[in-house]
Amino acid sequence: MAVQLFEPVATGDLVSLSHDLRYAPIVASLLTLEQAHELVLRHARPLAAELVGISEAAGRVSAEDVRARVDLPPFASSAMDGFAVRSVDLPGRLRIAGESAAGRPFGSTVEPGCAVAISTGAIVPDGADAVVPIENVVGNDNTVEMSEAAMPGAHVRPRGGDVAAGELVVPVGVTLTPPRLAAAAASGVAELFCARRPSVSVLATGSELVAPGEELQAGQIYETNGLMLSSSLAAAGVAVSTEPPVADDADALREALERGLAADVLVTSGGVSVGEHDLVREAERELGVEEVFWRVAIKPGKPVSFGVRGDTLVFGLPGNPVSTLVGCELFVKPALRALQGLPDPLPQFELGQLATALRRNGERDEFVRARSRVDDGTIVLEPVIGQESHMIVRSSAADALVHIPRGNGELAAGTSVRWLRLGG
Ligand code: AMP
Ligand code: MG
């Protein structure tokens, strides 16, 4: 078992651990968020890279420095619809010697006293050194009158003006956003090495869960977390498979967990607290999962567990839907970013100001759901009403997760705080 020795940050957390002590890590108190992050990153090593066609690469993470195969533009091209000319001939009346259209070059040299009709993006023919926009010429029959001089190079996009062959187009370790994909394609890249997409298995646990659409029987609630996790992680660019929810039954749990352990990452919700029916960690232990940590000094989401079996990372998120949401943002998404080789996988906090005073929690870092707005150029964060961890409907009105570090007293309105954007 992976055992970690850390300074406890809170006392009084040793209560009601008895049925877990057989397999709990030897430190039965809370890890700090920073310690938990360090442990997750220690185990979330980048997956092997694979060669991916450019049309399949959207949302992947580059695993190599991608360089231009060609100059861009690949030839001197026109920035305007108009006429390609020799600037020394202007002003004057020029004979139209032909046309250079996009993809259909003129094919010979512009002779003195001649102009070539040209469209945007077409090759500026040999001999010509400027383009006169169509708006600035008076044409009749096969001549054009140009009353003003043109600077050499006017309205000509030089070859390689965007990028030269061999130059860096997309660096290693970035997400292939649409503009980056476009940049790679434009400079002739047909395939590139990307990190393998992690596979993620999502499993909601709890005997009370039924699917929306069914009639609720006594004690039942609608399954929320599996849906939230699957959609959130799919949007994060990983391959998600969602297991049907499983009851709090040791055999059924083991069977479902074993299937989920085939993925690179298994994310469960529910069943990791200290209740009689919280069987997930025990079932995982029986399946050979080594627990790396359990319980972190955060609110909500304290009983979060993290373990490994072989190369599979295993996250046990507490079942209250807001705890699941917070655990996913704080632990699962960072791990997925690390697996894909992103260099800054930890949550990327922004800065904002509290709209109202908030009491700090003496033992745990709190993650408060809030709405962000811009006030006089400053981001102001207004906590939503209803901060309990079962209140997913109230949380769904928030677009921000505000980090209130543990400590004494309160943070006054206007205090600068770190926050994470929600909604992905
Ligand atoms: P647990 O972590 O299993 O003790 O669950 C804590 C609370 O979250 C309980 O009220 C559960 O009913 C609720 N819960 C657990 N899993 C889900 C889920 N998938 N969807 C909605 N609520 C859940
Ligand atoms: Mg439960």
Side-chain angles (χ1 to χ4, degrees), residues 32-404:
T32 64
L33 180 60
E34 295 72 24
Q35 289 167 333
H37 273 154
E38 195 191 315
L39 287 170
V40 169
L41 293 188
R42 198 180 292 170
H43 291 87
R45 294 274 156 232
L47 299 172
E50 60 190 9
L51 199 56
V52 177
I54 188 92
S55 57
E56 309 301 318
R60 300 274 205 131
V61 176
S62 57
E64 61 170 330
D65 278 339
V66 178
R67 295 181 181 280
R69 306 278 196 274
V70 297
D71 296 334
L72 186 66
F75 44 83
S77 72
S78 178
M80 303 289 281
D81 292 322
F83 289 87
V85 299
R86 299 156 20 101
S87 56
V88 292
D89 288 345
L90 298 193
R93 173 178 293 274
L94 304 177
R95 186 173 66 80
I96 302 173
E99 186 189 14
S100 176
R104 283 186 286 120
F106 173 59
S108 59
T109 301
V110 180
E111 302 295 341
C114 290
V116 166
I118 195 163
S119 41
T120 305
I123 295 182
V124 175
D126 285 348
D129 66 347
V131 169
V132 178
I134 196 146
E135 298 88 334
N136 298 351
V137 308
V138 179
N140 52 53
D141 294 340
N142 60 357
T143 65
V144 273
E145 177 76 41
M146 303 180 180
S147 55
E148 286 177 22
M151 297 288 283
H155 304 300
V156 176
R157 301 164 172 168
R159 173 177 178 159
D162 192 0
V163 74
E167 281 181 353
L168 187 64
V169 176
V170 177
V172 64
V174 298
T175 301
L176 292 162
T177 57
R180 287 186 176 128
L181 277 181
S187 40
V189 174
E191 47 186 23
L192 67 166
F193 278 98
C194 297
R196 185 163 67 72
R197 255 185 220 282
S199 60
V200 182
S201 191
V202 169
L203 174 65
T205 77
S207 299
E208 70 279 32
L209 306 176
V210 296
E214 288 178 30
E215 192 80 30
L216 288 182
Q217 305 300 320
Q220 294 183 328
I221 57 167
Y222 288 122
E223 199 291 303
T224 303
N225 297 337
L227 179 68
M228 179 168 58
L229 288 168
S230 312
S231 59
S232 172
L233 298 176
V238 299
V240 182
S241 75
T242 309
E243 297 285 328
V246 62
D248 299 314
D249 169 84
D251 293 337
L253 253 181
R254 270 197 307 274
E255 205 175 293
L257 288 167
E258 183 60 46
R259 278 198 304 277
L261 283 164
D264 295 313
V265 178
L266 168 60
V267 186
T268 63
S269 87
V272 288
S273 197
V274 291
E276 195 70 12
H277 303 286
D278 291 327
L279 306 173
V280 169
R281 297 168 58 231
E282 170 69 21
E284 287 174 349
R285 189 190 65 81
E286 288 168 10
L287 295 172
V289 175
E290 293 182 24
E291 190 161 85
V292 176
F293 65 72
W294 175 56
R295 311 211 306 169
V296 178
I298 55 172
K299 183 182 176 186
K302 176 173 86 167
V304 57
S305 71
F306 172 61
V308 294
R309 190 180 82 172
D311 291 334
T312 299
L313 307 182
V314 185
F315 292 92
L317 306 181
N320 276 304
V322 182
S323 308
T324 294
L325 171 77
V326 169
C328 181
E329 295 297 324
L330 292 184
F331 302 112
V332 181
K333 286 185 178 175
L336 293 173
R337 291 191 286 263
L339 288 176
Q340 293 178 88
L342 284 167
D344 282 320
L346 291 179
Q348 298 293 306
F349 289 95
E350 301 173 48
L351 287 181
Q353 286 187 0
L354 282 182
T356 54
L358 284 181
R359 272 183 70 78
R360 298 171 79 178
N361 183 309
E363 297 181 343
R364 291 189 271 163
D365 288 18
E366 287 208 35
F367 287 88
V368 169
R369 279 76 63 212
R371 290 175 69 92
S372 70
R373 62 169 192 268
V374 178
D375 233 2
D376 241 349
T378 301
I379 295 175
V380 175
L381 302 155
E382 180 86 52
V384 299
I385 306 290
Q387 291 284 331
E388 289 173 58
S389 59
H390 65 289
M391 293 181 165
I392 190 62
V393 173
R394 291 173 185 265
S395 281
S396 71
D399 64 348
L401 196 55
V402 182
H403 181 198
I404 307 296

